[in-house]
Amino acid sequence: MKDSLAVLTDSAGWLATFAAEHSLEPLPGVSPDDVTAFPFVLAVIDGKLSLKQTGAGSAGPVYVDFTAGASDHRRKFGGGKGQQIAKAVGVRGSFLPHVVDATAGLGRDAFVFASLGCRVTMLERNPVVHRLLADGLQRLQQCDDPELAAIGARMTLEQGGEQGGEQGGEQGGARDWLESCAADSCDVIYLDPMFPSREKSAKVKKDMVAFHHVVGMDEDADDLLPAALQACIYRVVVKRPKGAPHLAGKAPALELKGKSNRFDIYTKKALPKG
């Protein structure tokens, strides 16, 4: 990561410290459009911490914004409690589980859970993605819309789910965090590890190339499942591409299948009646 990502330190005072902590190249006084020696930059762009690919023809920046765009559209028109993802984590009636999203990424699914009324604890190992998520969460919690701010108040980003170091591998920080939990202490644990696509048609969207480059693939994600099963009360839910193998080679008790993804559900205890 340190050879491909630079930090534009003039865009926010704390970014110089962040660059030093993670051995990233600081670039003071430089515009993202002028960077040529690094394929990606981290900078504050239009008030949002952003990860941007450099070079001619590159896509726009990747950032976390829960107050507009796809996240807000999904909140309003995504189907509410009728969505498969809601059914997978056990949202029904008045029962709203506390969900630990152990591979939070950009927080998109975590925001869905919180918008349904669930309390959500997010873990994210990669330090760059962790900072992107923290920035988006802060803006959500401080926004003027009371409904959105209330959703943000139900979302917590744990520092314990972050680790420095090389790209890839969600399991280090998240696994350690889960293993530190008392047995049967988390209602539902949700896992969505990065999975390498083998389908030529399933190309990564251009604006997500930077994100996938920084995060890498979770080749060690199998290690998360035993820790999650130990820590959960009711179930572990694993989101997978439709044709992907089961995590850790373990068949789930239930599956919910969609057009391109499925939810593998590992049950431990019956859900309360809602």
Side-chain angles (χ1 to χ4, degrees), residues 35 49 51 56 59 62 72 116 118 137-138 200 209 233 239 244 246:
V35 176
L49 183 64
L51 182 65
V62 175
D72 196 45
L116 294 172
C118 297
L137 181 60
Q138 181 180 41
K200 293 182 180 179
V209 169
I233 298 174
K239 183 179 180 181
H246 296 128

Side-chain angles (χ1 to χ4, degrees), residues 152-207:
R154 292 192 286 271
M155 301 172 69
T156 302
L157 177 60
E158 286 288 329
Q159 292 295 330
E162 179 191 13
Q163 286 189 350
E166 297 300 318
Q167 70 178 36
E170 294 282 356
Q171 62 90 9
R175 185 196 61 201
D176 292 347
W177 191 95
L178 292 169
E179 288 180 344
S180 72
C181 293
D184 306 325
S185 59
C186 307
D187 285 351
V188 174
I189 297 172
Y190 180 78
L191 307 175
D192 181 15
M194 296 286 285
F195 183 78
S197 172
R198 295 186 175 92
E199 298 292 334
K200 293 182 180 179
S201 60
K203 293 181 180 178
V204 177
K205 292 182 179 179
K206 190 175 181 181
D207 64 349

Side-chain angles (χ1 to χ4, degrees), residues 2 17 21 45 64 68 77 84 90 110 122-123 128 140 150 154 156 172 216:
K2 65 182 180 180
T17 301
E21 289 175 346
I45 301 173
V64 175
F77 307 109
Q84 277 197 331
M122 298 178 289
L123 311 177
V128 173
L140 172 66
R154 292 192 286 271
T156 302

Side-chain angles (χ1 to χ4, degrees), residues 230-245:
Q230 181 270 342
C232 79
I233 298 174
Y234 299 109
R235 57 178 55 182
V236 176
V237 178
V238 183
K239 183 179 180 181
R240 300 294 272 167
K242 194 171 183 180

